[in-house]
Amino acid sequence: MLTIIREHKGFWPQIWKLARLELKKRFKGSLLGSAWAILTPVLMLLMFWFAFTIGLRVRSDIDGVSFFLFLMAGLVPWFFIRDMINKGSKSIRSNKQYVTKINFPVSTICTFSGLSYFMVHLLLLGSMIIYLAVAGYAPTVYNLQIFFYAPLMFLFFLALSWSTATWSVFSKDLQNLISSLMTAVFWLSGILWNSYTLEIEWLRKLMLFNPVTYIVNGYRKTFLYNEWFWENPLETGVFLGMLLLVVAFGAYNYTRLRKDMADVL
C-alpha cells in the first residue's frame, strides 16, 4: 500500500488531467458528445421500467416507493460499478503506452480511469437528486450519507481494479471471464428487487457479503427510505471488512507483478 501511495504522491495534477482526457476520449466523434453519459443510463432505466411494470406487471411500489424510483436509485450506482469492474479491468492494458514508453506510475492508471467513470456518476447522481426533488422527495439530512457511500464505493472498486487490471495484463481470459459474469452480478445483486425481503434466511444473510448490494441499498436508504447506515451495524461492518481485504489483496497483487508488466505488454 505504501508503494501505491508513493506512486500517487506529486502526480495528482496529471491524474486529474488524464481523467478528463479519458472522459473526452470516451465520447469523441459522437454527435451528441458527453450527452450520451446521461442518455444511455436514462434509456436503460426506461427500458427496465417498461419491461417490469408494463410487460411483467410487477407491483407499482416497493415498501411505499414507486418501482421507477426504486429502480433508478439502484441503477445510478450500478452504472459506475459496472464500468469499474468491466472496463477497470482493462485500464492498464488500454493505456499500455504509459507503461512501455514513458516512466509513469502504473497504479495511477487505475485511478484516473476510475475518476473518469466517477465524474459521469456524479453527473447522474446530480440528475437523480433533481428528479427526486421534483417527484416529491425533497433533500433531507439523510442525503448527507452520500458522502459516506460514494467514496466507499469508489475506493472499493478502485482497489478491486488493482488486482483485476494487473491480472488482465498477463491474461486476456480474465477480461472475458469478467464480461461473462457481469450479467449474473447484475441480476443477483438486488438492483431490480429488494434484498431485505428474501424469504430464504440463509440467502438473505449471504447477500450481506455482496458489496454491490450494500452500495445499492445504501443509496436507497440515503434518498428514498431515510435510514442511517449505522442502523444496521452488521451490514456496514461486513462491507468494511471486505474493503480492507480487497485493499490489502489488491496492493499485494500490484506490487508483486508491477515490475513485469512492461515486458509482457
Side-chain angles (χ1 to χ4, degrees):
M1 192 62 205
L2 291 176
T3 300
I4 294 176
I5 293 174
R6 284 195 297 267
E7 288 189 348
H8 282 69
K9 186 178 180 181
F11 277 89
W12 282 106
Q14 294 94 324
I15 290 172
W16 286 108
K17 182 177 180 180
L18 288 171
R20 294 193 298 270
L21 289 174
E22 187 82 2
L23 186 61
K24 292 179 181 178
K25 185 170 66 175
R26 290 176 59 188
F27 303 105
K28 184 179 180 181
S30 61
L31 182 62
L32 298 178
S34 58
W36 284 111
I38 293 291
L39 289 176
T40 302
V42 168
L43 290 174
M44 183 173 291
L45 173 63
L46 292 174
M47 178 187 68
F48 278 115
W49 171 81
F50 181 85
F52 280 87
T53 59
I54 306 299
L56 298 177
R57 299 181 181 179
V58 299
R59 58 182 181 178
S60 59
D61 67 279
I62 298 179
D63 293 335
V65 175
S66 72
F67 180 73
F68 182 81
L69 298 181
F70 180 88
L71 180 61
M72 179 171 61
L75 284 176
V76 166
W78 165 251
F79 291 131
F80 171 78
I81 293 170
R82 177 197 61 189
D83 288 340
M84 282 298 289
I85 296 177
N86 197 6
K87 298 178 182 177
S89 66
K90 308 174 185 177
S91 57
I92 295 178
R93 183 173 285 275
S94 299
N95 294 278
K96 62 182 180 180
Q97 67 274 15
Y98 297 117
V99 183
T100 59
K101 295 182 179 180
I102 61 176
N103 185 19
F104 195 80
V106 179
S107 64
T108 61
I109 296 175
C110 298
T111 305
F112 73 69
S113 295
L115 283 173
S116 69
Y117 303 132
F118 197 65
M119 291 176 185
V120 175
H121 174 69
L122 293 178
L123 186 61
L124 285 174
L125 181 61
S127 301
M128 182 182 74
I129 293 173
I130 294 172
Y131 183 86
L132 287 174
V134 173
Y137 288 80
T140 66
V141 66
Y142 293 94
N143 295 167
L144 294 175
Q145 290 182 111
I146 196 61
F147 296 105
F148 173 78
Y149 285 111
L152 278 184
M153 176 180 67
F154 177 80
L155 180 57
F156 186 96
F157 291 100
L158 173 64
L160 183 64
S161 71
W162 295 341
S163 290
T164 58
T166 300
W167 289 339
S168 293
V169 170
F170 298 89
S171 175
K172 291 185 178 181
D173 291 332
L174 179 65
Q175 294 178 7
N176 296 329
L177 176 63
I178 290 174
S179 297
S180 64
L181 290 177
M182 288 308 296
T183 301
V185 173
F186 174 78
W187 289 101
L188 296 175
S189 297
I191 297 168
L192 300 176
W193 43 275
N194 190 349
S195 63
Y196 294 123
T197 58
L198 287 172
E199 296 181 359
I200 305 175
E201 184 178 358
W202 68 265
L203 187 57
R204 189 168 63 250
K205 291 181 178 179
L206 185 63
M207 294 299 292
L208 293 175
F209 296 91
N210 187 334
V212 179
T213 303
Y214 177 78
I215 295 297
V216 167
N217 287 337
Y219 270 60
R220 287 170 178 154
K221 292 176 181 178
T222 298
F223 296 106
L224 300 177
Y225 294 115
N226 293 339
E227 298 178 22
W228 295 110
F229 66 87
W230 59 73
E231 292 182 30
N232 194 333
L234 176 62
E235 187 180 40
T236 300
V238 169
F239 179 83
L240 293 177
M242 289 191 296
L243 173 61
L244 291 176
L245 288 176
V246 169
V247 168
F249 192 61
Y252 169 75
N253 280 306
Y254 170 74
T255 53
R256 182 171 62 93
L257 299 171
R258 68 189 179 99
K259 293 181 179 179
D260 300 320
M261 291 184 193
D263 294 333
V264 174
L265 292 173

